[in-house]
Amino acid sequence: MRIVVIDDKLTGMRPCVATIGFFDGVHKGHQFLLDHLVKAAKADGMESTVITFDEHPRKVLNQDYQPEMLSCLEEKLQLLEKNQVDNCALLHFDRDMAQLSAYKFMEKVLRNRLNVRKLYIGYDNKFGHNREEGFDDYVKYGRELGIEVIRNPVYKLHDVNISSTYIRGLLKKGEVNIACEYLGYPYSITGEVIHGFQNGRKLGYPTANISMETRHKLIPANGVYAVEVTIEGIAGVYQGMMDIGTRPTFSGKSRSLEVNIFDFEKNIYGRQIHVSFICFIRPDIKFNNIDDLAIQLKKDEKVVREKLNKKKYYE
């Protein structure tokens, strides 16, 4: 997949079939749209192009907005590439761009910069200043500009219109297995392993504490999860159990992310760690004492190992 930066210098693009959106998480609904895009482009003898943004538009327009993303830009690009799209056109969204009407956007960006001949629109997608116009307007403008505009069918799973917003809601409730089904892959976070409180080590369950301060990824609900782990510079995929919460048994205040990696003893402080959520095990609760917590951790480990040893644990 070729990555193209949309700016005033961009010229010489081949005729393409395109779609536009933020594509956070590149979930199954997005994948359904991208499949239609790629097939249509091949049938028409043109390239397929996804137009997306380097920053969430709401973050640009509202400085107080704190995004909770399903995917950072790098992850999004990797997911888009898996869908066999020819080009990804990255648009830097700023306040000047936000002022463009849908017609001006289609003229200046889609036609003049990207040479779009056919545009697929997601069933609920809108663009242009304040998202004031809709699909019928895009069709009319397209006729004037030489762009055929097509509305993609709705994709439903279990009678649900899949959206990034819906998946975020599932993750905030801890329903990672359902979220993974709608994403089409396990939800994951990546961060640096930092020094923690050493409480897990005292209980026989040492944990890697993860810093997520520099990212805007959504953190699932507090609780214990079955996870799979990969570690920077170390080969293999490891099983583990992760706790997200405030360490209530130890009267903790701040939220922490700690993962106990099974059958692993190496020092990994300072390394990047990638954690994929497989399923929710139990809430983050306060125990009467650390002995009760230690007993529960042994039970958790047994359940987690059983869950992870199943071949299709999130489908």
Side-chain angles (χ1 to χ4, degrees), residues 5 26 32 52 106 112 144 165 188 243 261 305 315:
V5 177
V26 194
F32 179 68
T52 192
M106 292 178 70
N112 296 353
E144 297 177 24
T165 300
S188 65
D243 179 74
I261 307 171
R305 287 185 183 273
E315 297 178 353

Side-chain angles (χ1 to χ4, degrees), residues 93-271:
F93 190 88
D94 56 22
R95 291 189 175 276
D96 289 337
M97 179 64 64
Q99 295 303 312
L100 290 180
S101 66
Y103 182 89
K104 283 297 182 182
F105 180 82
M106 292 178 70
E107 179 186 32
K108 294 182 66 174
V109 177
L110 301 188
R111 189 188 69 178
N112 296 353
R113 297 291 175 215
L114 294 173
N115 202 6
V116 174
R117 303 293 179 84
K118 184 179 289 187
L119 179 68
Y120 274 80
I121 299 290
Y123 77 94
D124 61 347
N125 192 25
K126 289 186 176 183
F127 58 86
H129 180 63
N130 289 337
R131 296 159 56 97
E132 293 167 343
E133 295 139 305
F135 179 75
D136 291 340
D137 298 303
Y138 308 150
V139 171
K140 181 177 70 173
Y141 303 153
R143 290 196 190 102
E144 297 177 24
L145 296 167
I147 300 172
E148 181 184 359
V149 180
I150 301 167
R151 173 177 276 158
N152 207 61
V154 175
Y155 178 79
K156 290 189 176 185
L157 184 61
H158 305 315
D159 206 33
V160 172
N161 290 355
I162 299 175
S163 68
S164 300
T165 300
Y166 187 80
I167 294 172
R168 290 188 201 105
L170 292 172
L171 292 171
K172 288 181 178 181
K173 293 186 289 186
E175 297 177 359
V176 296
N177 56 325
I178 303 175
C180 291
E181 184 178 10
Y182 290 161
L183 285 166
Y185 57 87
Y187 183 69
S188 65
I189 59 172
T190 301
E192 181 183 345
V193 178
I194 59 174
H195 289 275
F197 297 91
Q198 307 295 318
N199 292 323
R201 188 173 301 278
K202 298 171 186 175
L203 296 167
Y205 286 90
T207 59
N209 291 261
I210 304 173
S211 171
M212 293 286 292
E213 293 178 359
T214 60
R215 292 175 175 264
H216 294 293
K217 288 269 289 196
L218 187 151
I219 305 300
N222 289 358
V224 176
Y225 296 86
V227 299
E228 290 184 333
V229 179
T230 58
I231 305 160
E232 177 189 21
I234 298 176
V237 178
Y238 294 86
Q239 297 181 344
M241 58 182 181
M242 183 166 199
D243 179 74
I244 300 174
T246 59
R247 297 167 288 106
T249 305
F250 298 94
S251 300
K253 301 298 181 182
S254 60
R255 199 181 191 205
S256 64
L257 293 79
E258 306 177 31
V259 58
N260 171 246
I261 307 171
F262 297 158
D263 310 313
F264 186 86
E265 297 180 353
K266 294 181 181 180
N267 184 336
I268 54 174
Y269 289 120
R271 294 179 187 259

